[in-house]
Amino acid sequence: MKALVWQGINKVAVERVPDPEILQPTDAIVRVTSTAICGSDLHLLDGYVPSMVHGDILGHEFMGEVVDVGADVRKIKVGDRVIVPFPIACGKCWYCQKGLTSLCDNSNPNPRLAETMWGHASSGIYGYSHITGGYAGGQAQFVRTVFADANLYKVPQGLSDDQVLFLTDILPTGYMAAENCNIQEGDVVAVFGAGPVGQFCIRSAFLLGAGRVIAIDRFPERLELARRAGAETINYEEDEVFERLKVMTAGRGPDSVMDAVGLEAHGTGFLGVADAVKQTTRVLESERPHALRAALMACRKGGTVSVPGVYGGLGDKIPLGAFMNKGLTMKTGQTHVHRYLDILTDHIVRGDIDPTQVITHRMSLDEAPHAYHIFKHKHDGCIKCVLDPWADPKDHAPVK
């Protein structure tokens, strides 16, 4: 089959690799019909997530049709159309029973790597390095999925791939980030980063009762998409964000702030330069936590900072004094996708949220290296690219 593989820092390519096989009786094989590039895939591309190996198949946002199942799979059948949540849940451990599926105790076969870095291991994740299990990802024509009955989610009839693909990650991620804000009716919410996750943070904040949402970014196409969702916007290359947020909130600051950027934030000033230099060493600092610093400083006293942006290691100059002395609450974590699937599917069916609005480009799997390039560098107005593993390259063009 064709699959997109990691070949080294800033190098990916489509290669022919062996087809996946059933290895455990709880497995299922999915023929991928749609897959997408996530912002956190760029952390792998750029070499900031450890334990990547040449030949690893990328991708954790994917869906398709079940073509084979193991002997112990009961709920999922061949022919079912499914989405595949990016965190892998066994469905039986203490964490899964509590709905904390991204913390599953049984789905990561390499827990020692994660325990060394974080104290405890997260769940396994498809296509996201050996620290999260070394599972082959979904930017491929077929994928072996594990714990099929606990993980695969059947797509209701009448919904297109475009409508449900992002249930695998970024839509629940934005919703959980907004839920973590403990939004009260009429609250003012600020969102650092108006990329795909930030867009769903904005829309989810409004769904949960926010009165105003303020989006902070520097790319015109992202800010325009945020405005179309009803958000007010700040271009951080044109305004001093902290002062602007104070003016927009009568000096108090937003009730909650989301960092939808993560470890590769584009910083400004001395700290921005210092982060970039230190991160290149992979030792002095593994993150560029500019957005997190800004969120902690901007949030009002007694407010909540929610962090859907991915961090993996060590960050410098975090304003813990602001965090403590302002009495802030911080909530974060990889998304417990499974707990939100029914809720968000209902919102999609009712038309409360339209996931297709973030799609700007469609390409074949063969064009994935180019898709990574324009997505990383924000060329051609690229906000979100969907890949078709079976398409001929000439059949696809940017969606405008």
Side-chain angles (χ1 to χ4, degrees), residues 195-210:
V197 169
Q199 296 294 334
F200 288 130
C201 289
I202 293 164
R203 288 156 176 77
S204 298
F206 281 126
L207 279 177
L208 293 174

Side-chain angles (χ1 to χ4, degrees), residues 57 109 126 129 131 182-183 188 211 235 249-250 259 261 269 283 376 387:
I57 299 173
Y126 291 104
S129 85
I131 200 170
N182 189 31
I183 294 170
V188 179
N235 184 328
T249 58
D259 167 9
V261 182
V283 175
K376 174 181 175 176
L387 303 172

Side-chain angles (χ1 to χ4, degrees), residues 71-86:
D72 291 346
V73 177
R74 297 287 181 264
K75 298 178 182 177
I76 299 297
K77 307 296 183 186
V78 171
D80 284 345
R81 186 163 162 257
V82 296
I83 64 108
V84 185
F86 80 87

